[in-house]
DNA sequence: GTTGAGCGTT
């Protein structure tokens, strides 16, 4: 019943795949079940989720028993407002079973048990195309934008950064032993760095006594 | 806490 995608797709011999788009990210299969179930017998509902976060991608797949019900749902639930968003119901075109789907009708051939052809498998070679599933960049949103940022490829840069960190550190310790350890503005120590100090901070200083007690 | 064109099994 409400356990969709738990034990995999049940009896997909004859079913119609419907694609529901424009659904809210919070919408779940259980939320669409009562809605689509009213249009007919829903065989199964699957909502693709992200492997990283696990959140819904914003669309779901609904399988009906008959095309009549599927078509009805497309005409009835299509444009329906769900969770505050207008969903779009349409027949699934692509998918793992799309090759065997005709207008939404899954004409999957059932392998006959015991009747295994010993001659030669119709598969010349194994399907190593699994890697081809590079999972197209569907997340063209904030997530992608953030990752699109220029990443530091220069490893030397990182190393140099580390080395540079050591120099001032040594100077600071040395200076501390030689000079007065206390009462030393951090900004002054910074000036000791081999690199030219940036006097850009010498604008104007406000009174330190902002809240002086009376 | 956010986002929004499309096509699916963790």
């Amino acid at each position: 019943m409400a356990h969709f995608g738990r034990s995999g797709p049940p009896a997909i011999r004859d079913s119609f795949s419907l694609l529901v788009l424009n659904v809210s990210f919070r919408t779940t299969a259980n939320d669409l079940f009562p809605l689509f179930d009213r249009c007919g017998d829903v065989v199964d509902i699957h909502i693709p989720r992200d492997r990283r976060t696990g959140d819904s991608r914003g669309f779901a797949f609904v399988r009906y028993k008959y095309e009549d019900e599927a078509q009805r749902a497309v005409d009835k639930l299509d444009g329906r407002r769900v969770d505050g968003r207008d969903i779009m119901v349409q027949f699934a075109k692509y998918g793992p079973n799309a090759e065997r789907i005709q207008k939404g009708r899954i004409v999957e051939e059932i392998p006959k048990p015991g009747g295994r052809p010993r001659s030669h498998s119709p598969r010349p070679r194994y399907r190593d195309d699994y890697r081809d599933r590079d999972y197209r960049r569907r997340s063209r949103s904030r997530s992608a934008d953030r990752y699109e940022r220029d990443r530091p490829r220069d490893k030397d840069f990182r190393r140099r950064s580390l080395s540079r960190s050591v120099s001032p550190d040594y100077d600071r310790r040395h200076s501390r032993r030689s000079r007065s350890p206390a009462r030393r503005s951090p900004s002054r120590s910074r000036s000791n760095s081999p690199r030219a100090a940036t006097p850009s901070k010498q604008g104007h200083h406000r009174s330190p006594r902002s809240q002086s007690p009376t």
Side-chain angles (χ1 to χ4, degrees):
Chain A
M1 294 295 267
H3 300 299
F4 296 118
R6 283 303 183 93
S7 300
I12 322 176
R13 300 167 189 174
D14 299 300
S15 55
F16 298 87
S17 299
L18 260 59
L19 174 64
V20 185
L21 293 174
N22 206 16
V23 294
S24 179
F25 296 96
R26 304 180 302 177
T27 304
T28 60
N30 294 335
D31 294 340
L32 298 177
F33 175 70
L35 195 69
F36 284 82
D37 186 41
R38 282 158 46 177
C39 294
D41 297 339
V42 178
V43 180
D44 181 32
I45 298 179
H46 173 233
I47 298 181
R49 299 181 299 179
D50 190 298
R51 301 179 304 176
R52 299 167 298 189
T53 59
D55 293 341
S56 310
R57 283 194 230 169
F59 63 95
F61 289 93
V62 181
R63 289 182 185 175
Y64 276 94
K65 186 72 181 298
Y66 301 97
E67 185 180 9
D68 298 344
E69 300 175 346
Q71 184 63 36
R72 187 183 301 171
V74 175
D75 184 53
K76 183 178 180 181
L77 298 179
D78 182 32
R80 194 61 173 250
R81 189 193 275 287
V82 178
D83 194 79
R85 303 262 204 243
D86 296 337
I87 64 174
M88 296 187 297
V89 183
Q90 54 190 255
F91 285 89
K93 301 186 337 181
Y94 307 98
N97 300 337
E99 295 177 355
R100 297 176 184 173
I101 294 178
Q102 296 179 359
K103 299 177 185 175
R105 172 59 182 272
I106 301 179
V107 289
E108 168 181 283
E109 292 181 355
I110 303 162
K112 295 175 182 160
R116 184 168 60 93
R118 188 178 294 174
S119 298
H120 74 282
S121 299
R123 296 185 293 185
R125 60 182 67 176
Y126 290 95
R127 295 288 187 88
D128 288 344
D129 295 344
Y130 262 84
R131 56 180 178 80
D132 285 348
R133 280 180 173 262
D134 53 53
Y135 291 88
R136 54 195 61 138
R137 287 78 171 134
R138 58 267 214 186
S139 294
R140 190 64 84 168
S141 297
R142 50 179 176 84
S143 303
D145 290 351
R146 284 188 182 176
Y147 292 154
E148 283 297 336
R149 286 184 179 279
D150 47 342
R151 51 192 68 178
R153 284 180 193 165
D154 197 355
K155 291 179 290 188
D156 294 345
F157 178 78
R158 184 175 178 179
R159 179 172 293 181
R160 268 186 290 180
S161 189
L162 190 71
S163 299
R164 195 160 58 90
S165 297
V166 178
S167 295
D169 191 13
Y170 181 79
D171 283 353
R172 190 175 68 180
R173 283 192 309 174
H174 188 71
S175 162
R176 182 174 177 177
R177 256 170 61 180
S178 190
R179 297 290 185 89
S180 308
R183 294 299 176 85
R184 189 50 87 175
S185 255
S187 52
R188 186 141 187 115
S189 294
R190 234 173 247 173
S191 298
N192 286 350
S193 17
R195 182 169 279 204
T198 53
S200 60
K201 290 293 180 186
Q202 289 181 346
H204 69 285
H205 52 84
R206 59 182 65 181
S207 303
R209 293 185 298 179
S210 224
Q211 293 177 344
S212 62
T214 49

